[in-house]
Amino acid sequence: MKNRPDPRPETLAAQADHFLDPATGAIVPPLVASTTFARNDDYSLRAATSYSRYGTANWQQAEGLIAKLEGAAAAAVLASGLAAAAAVVMTLRPGQRIVVHDTMYWGFLAWLKDFSRQWNLDLVLVDMTDLAALERALAKPTEIVWFESPTNPLWQVLDIAAIAKLGKAAGARVCLDSTVATPVLTRPLSLGCDLVMHSATKYLNGHSDVLAGALAVAKADEWWERILFNRTSVGASLGPFEAWLLLRGMRTLYPRVRQASETALTLATHLASHPKVERVLYPGLPSHPGHEVARRQMQGGFGGMLSILVKGGGEAALRVCTATELFHRATSLGSVESLIEHRHTVEGVHGVSPPALLRLSVGLEHPDDLLADLEQALAKA
Ligand SMILES: *Cc1c(COP(=O)(O)O)cnc(C)c1O
């Protein structure tokens, strides 16, 4: 019998779901490297799995925690964020329709366009900040609605509850890439989504040392079974060490995301009135067009990601980017160290970033150090 209320998500994360190894008393899960698992004398399986492509104890621990943090019926970890997204899209059959927001993680959109052509999917791109446009796009039978919020790298905020309502009214499965918001700030299933996807490479792990993806669902139905089949049948399985590192990283998820959000708001507020900065894109600023929606669907912060538009265009932005001394010039996001990136240079043909844009992933360094670094770099614009 429990003498206390159910633990809050921060408590579950900090304790890795109160892990305790019955065999050894260890409170840190052991790394199970074995790929194969023995059978009993009567040939029954000893463990839940026979072979590690189908799962290992280290997966199950990470999945159990993610499911609880998202308030999900079930969760799955996969080899990368893109593997997770692909496992969902591959439930579609030729001719079926998928409606997506017109800007999202470029790598996924590039793959989706290519796969849709090959697989004869009816892929529809729509600006979901315009709910009437979304409703028109959903007039034909639609299987999947897919979007992100905030969107990378312009940090548009999409109204999750409104999009989920329209999607479900049209009979679609509503899926959200919640990598940037994390379960700390937004719980998409409670806002009506059917499925949440994470690039666990980012905030969930948080230390730039694991490539992983995660999915969590409101209902563990036949569709979910097909997604799990897509994962293991093509071998998009996460290695046990990656799962182990992911669980370890998630223990500090809540304080990391809250600190990064606080520092990002400090930087955004400061940069908004900087003479060398044209505009700051950050949902936490009252001037941001999505601020009111963000206040409704993000709790306790607006995330650690922002972009700035440097006055003087692309060349000025590159001068700033190449002058930082603490911000690493590197891609990716959601880790303990701060990163800066000139997206226009790296996006190529699928790009949406104007040349003046610099994307900042705010880490856990002292905010004054980060500000001082940006100040000296902006002086070179
Ligand atoms: C990084 C990222 C992905 C892709 O995830 P990988 O783990 O790199 O495969 C998808 N969506 C968003 C928002 C991302 O930031």
Side-chain angles (χ1 to χ4, degrees), residues 190-264:
S190 73
L191 295 170
C193 292
D194 296 291
L195 177 141
V196 188
M197 172 252 161
H198 291 280
S199 169
T201 312
K202 317 293 170 52
Y203 289 101
L204 292 187
N205 169 61
H207 293 76
S208 306
D209 55 10
V210 165
L211 190 72
L215 298 169
V217 276
K219 262 196 283 185
D221 55 8
E222 176 271 341
W223 183 58
W224 177 241
E225 289 303 321
R226 274 197 287 146
I227 292 169
L228 296 181
F229 175 78
N230 287 345
R231 165 180 65 176
T232 50
S233 63
V234 302
S237 308
L238 190 63
F241 184 48
E242 282 74 13
W244 187 89
L245 277 172
L246 172 58
L247 187 66
R248 177 192 163 106
M250 284 195 290
R251 288 178 168 238
T252 54
L253 175 67
Y254 285 75
R256 279 191 287 106
V257 170
R258 287 180 181 143
Q259 180 63 56
S261 297
E262 201 180 309
T263 305

Side-chain angles (χ1 to χ4, degrees), residues 79-85 104-105 108 148 150 152 177-180 197-202 210-213 332-333 359:
S80 68
L82 280 191
M104 53 183 179
Y105 181 76
F108 179 52
E148 300 173 17
N152 182 5
D177 178 343
S178 195
T179 298
V180 172
M197 172 252 161
H198 291 280
S199 169
T201 312
K202 317 293 170 52
V210 165
L211 190 72
S332 198
L333 59 99
R359 187 182 83 176

Side-chain angles (χ1 to χ4, degrees), residues 3-16:
N3 298 311
R4 48 164 181 76
D6 282 342
R8 291 164 180 77
E10 341 1 28
T11 305
L12 295 169
Q15 298 197 345

